[in-house]
Amino acid sequence: MEKTISIKHACITPVAKLLQEISMRQYNSSHRVHRRPALALPALLTAPLIAITTPSLVQAQDEATPPQTEAAQSVEDTDNPIPVPILPDERQGLATASALNNTVRPAQREHSAALLQQLQVPEGFTIEVFAEDLVNPRILEVAENGDIYVSEREAGRVTLLRDENEDGRADQKQAVAKGLGEGQQGVHGLALSPDGQYLYMATDTQLYRAEVMESGELGAPQLLLDELPDGGQHPNRTLEFGPDDMLYISIGSTSNAVPEPNELNATIVRLDPTLATPSVEDLQIVAEGLRNTIGFGWHPVSGALFGWDHNSDSRGDNWPPEEINQIVEGNHYGWPFCGGDREVDNQVSAEPQGMSRTEFCAQTEPPVATHTAHSAGMQIVYYTGEQFPAEYRNDAFITLRGSWNRNPPVGYEIVHLSFDEEGRPGEVQPFISGWLLDAETEPAHFGRLSGLAQAADGSLLVANDSHGVIYRISYGGE
């Protein structure tokens, strides 16, 4: 039966519009947690009211961490950001909801060889520094000849890395594209065209293409699109070419949990790369209701598209969980009205058009697997190499950048998602952990992980964006 639900036609109340304005205002004012005192309602409003507990409007999971203090910041529920009570002008459908919202930002430690040795690594595997002294390395893309491209988001550039003497460490580092945005609006997503002739690059609102020269250097970037939706809380666009040779772009939501006025936000869209002069009107929505699916890709056996979605914040430590979705064209995956296995989110101050939230959520697509809330999955790679043991073949590896609003914090690791012979996903299991230190007592970290790619020799490359490091994971067991 054809599904008719669409978030584009959500009934956005004046309250929801106000919340969205507040969200953007708070996001744009230094990305810090705002602690506002609760204000007493005037006496004339002391009659029974339907209150709204708005979501905490702070930076998104996958964004750069503000400067840290020596000790981890831990905010108990009594010190949470408390919104000013709002008298709704539409009382029907607005429900009171509240949840403990712990803000715990692990302190950032200096990167060191000693800490690297403390990582929990499976037997037979080795992790070593491949490249360092990078600026916020985010997404990794490997060419067929072994050249490695990395987006240095805050520097607004793309850098070429090579290991010419094959000693497991980059000995060539060259900026091949510059001036592509800056800060959190700098270049992020990378994707090589199927024929390897072009590298596509995305900032928050722009899509570029550059010719790949025989030397590995890039030609002058050509601006293809200049009107991708504003990023808001989720400016990190990611790119992948599909089996159909079309370019797929993940466009996150601008807010934590408010219906989007722009139908392109909270989606994965598709673009025909052969168009001479593409425009935003050429973007085809593949799937919607995806709050922030940074990592996505097609399974090498089944051909099915899977993505890891960051779910809403400020609903407590454990809900809603992170979602692993099988993304099918035309489906809606629930955000912002639903989380986890199609469960209603009562903190959203809007209603779907023509139905209740319960009815709406029942028609959305449930995840195929879930993981701990707030762990912030990033880039996904399916392992197709020969170096690792056969049990890992065609399985997925995912980097988890780590939480900022959960107590105790989670993530800061690489996980393994197994698939059976028919390409069906199993459970998410730890692969390499330990970048998070003393999570239960004095949380600290020496790495927030982002980019992930399979190198030409079958090793894995992993970007630590908080410390400017890229690792190489190799297997030397029997």
Side-chain angles (χ1 to χ4, degrees):
M1 182 175 66
E2 185 177 352
K3 295 183 179 179
T4 59
I5 59 172
S6 176
I7 197 170
K8 291 178 285 187
H9 306 294
C11 211
I12 304 178
T13 68
V15 173
K17 291 180 181 177
L18 179 59
L19 295 182
Q20 193 165 46
E21 291 174 6
I22 294 171
S23 174
M24 294 308 300
R25 233 179 272 136
Q26 291 188 346
Y27 172 82
N28 289 327
S29 58
S30 85
H31 301 243
R32 300 177 69 89
V33 176
H34 297 263
R35 300 181 179 88
R36 301 174 59 188
L39 301 183
L41 289 172
L44 60 89
L45 297 181
T46 55
L49 298 175
I50 301 174
I52 303 172
T53 301
T54 60
S56 175
L57 303 170
V58 291
Q59 77 178 77
Q61 293 170 342
D62 55 281
E63 294 167 330
T65 305
Q68 304 288 331
T69 58
E70 288 298 319
Q73 303 172 18
S74 179
V75 182
E76 300 298 332
D77 59 323
T78 55
D79 195 25
N80 280 342
I82 302 175
V84 177
I86 301 171
L87 175 63
D89 56 357
E90 296 179 14
R91 299 191 178 205
Q92 296 301 318
L94 298 175
T96 299
S98 62
L100 179 67
N101 183 37
N102 290 303
T103 299
V104 180
R105 303 184 189 278
Q108 184 167 308
R109 295 272 184 86
E110 294 269 342
H111 195 277
S112 69
L115 285 175
L116 194 62
Q117 291 298 315
Q118 295 180 23
L119 294 177
Q120 291 87 59
V121 182
E123 185 176 354
F125 286 88
T126 301
I127 183 167
E128 301 170 296
V129 172
F130 177 78
E132 52 192 342
D133 299 324
L134 297 160
V135 178
N136 192 222
R138 294 287 287 189
I139 297 298
L140 296 166
E141 184 78 349
V142 178
E144 192 172 333
N145 67 354
D147 285 351
I148 301 155
Y149 297 94
V150 56
S151 59
E152 294 182 85
R153 183 184 65 175
E154 293 185 4
R157 67 176 175 238
V158 176
T159 295
L160 169 65
L161 302 173
R162 281 190 176 133
D163 176 13
E164 294 188 326
N165 62 6
E166 299 182 350
D167 66 348
R169 192 175 179 93
D171 43 43
Q172 180 179 339
K173 181 170 66 174
Q174 177 185 1
V176 291
K178 300 179 181 178
L180 304 176
E182 62 182 0
Q184 293 189 9
Q185 285 69 48
V187 62
H188 188 262
L190 302 177
L192 284 161
S193 59
D195 59 10
Q197 293 186 8
Y198 295 95
L199 181 68
Y200 287 74
M201 303 163 283
T203 68
D204 60 334
T205 60
Q206 298 170 319
L207 177 68
Y208 293 89
R209 178 178 65 191
E211 184 178 359
V212 179
M213 307 297 188
E214 188 174 344
S215 64
E217 296 176 308
L218 300 180
Q222 173 192 3
L223 180 61
L224 299 178
L225 289 176
D226 194 26
E227 297 178 345
L228 291 174
D230 289 339
Q233 290 191 19
H234 300 123
N236 298 308
R237 310 292 177 242
T238 46
L239 310 172
E240 295 287 349
F241 273 91
D244 55 3
D245 291 343
M246 300 282 274
L247 180 64
Y248 289 73
I249 308 171
S250 176
I251 302 177
S253 68
T254 61
S255 66
N256 178 37
V258 175
E260 295 287 346
N262 189 330
E263 67 177 4
L264 294 178
N265 282 109
T267 67
I268 288 179
V269 300
R270 179 172 55 213
L271 177 68
D272 183 351
T274 66
L275 293 173
T277 55
S279 70
V280 289
E281 285 73 26
D282 296 311
L283 297 175
Q284 306 165 14
I285 295 176
V286 176
E288 54 187 331
L290 297 166
R291 181 175 177 270
N292 194 29
T293 298
I294 288 182
F296 65 96
W298 290 260
H299 191 266
V301 174
S302 69
L305 174 59
F306 294 93
W308 185 299
D309 197 37
H310 298 190
N311 233 319
S312 298
D313 300 321
S314 307
R315 277 91 173 108
D317 287 340
N318 299 310
W319 192 88
E322 303 273 285
E323 296 182 11
I324 299 94
N325 293 304
Q326 182 172 342
I327 298 168
V328 177
E329 186 166 355
N331 281 353
H332 196 295
Y333 291 85
W335 184 90
F337 299 107
C338 327
D341 190 6
R342 300 185 288 189
E343 298 174 69
V344 172
D345 186 341
N346 287 316
Q347 294 201 46
V348 178
S349 55
E351 292 290 339
Q353 186 176 28
M355 66 183 78
S356 69
R357 298 184 204 192
T358 300
E359 292 169 329
F360 179 88
C361 291
Q363 296 183 47
T364 62
E365 195 68 20
V368 295
T370 60
H371 194 59
T372 310
H374 313 302
S375 50
M378 299 297 284
Q379 199 165 4
I380 292 175
V381 63
Y382 297 98
Y383 190 78
T384 58
E386 302 290 335
Q387 185 184 124
F388 287 12
E391 64 196 74
Y392 292 104
R393 195 79 40 80
N394 300 320
D395 286 354
F397 292 97
I398 306 104
T399 44
L400 303 186
R401 193 163 187 271
S403 67
W404 58 267
N405 67 337
R406 187 182 190 279
N407 189 20
V410 292
Y412 305 84
E413 63 181 335
I414 305 166
V415 294
H416 166 227
L417 176 62
S418 62
F419 285 79
D420 64 21
E421 294 180 355
E422 296 180 3
R424 294 174 298 199
E427 293 185 357
V428 177
Q429 300 289 342
F431 179 60
I432 297 181
S433 305
W435 282 274
L436 178 62
L437 309 169
D438 302 320
E440 301 284 346
T441 53
E442 297 183 15
H445 76 88
F446 68 100
R448 303 199 72 182
L449 309 181
S450 178
L452 184 64
Q454 181 181 302
D457 66 355
S459 61
L460 286 182
L461 301 172
V462 183
N464 175 343
D465 74 62
S466 60
H467 290 73
V469 173
I470 294 176
Y471 306 106
R472 177 177 180 267
I473 299 171
S474 58
Y475 181 75
E478 298 181 357

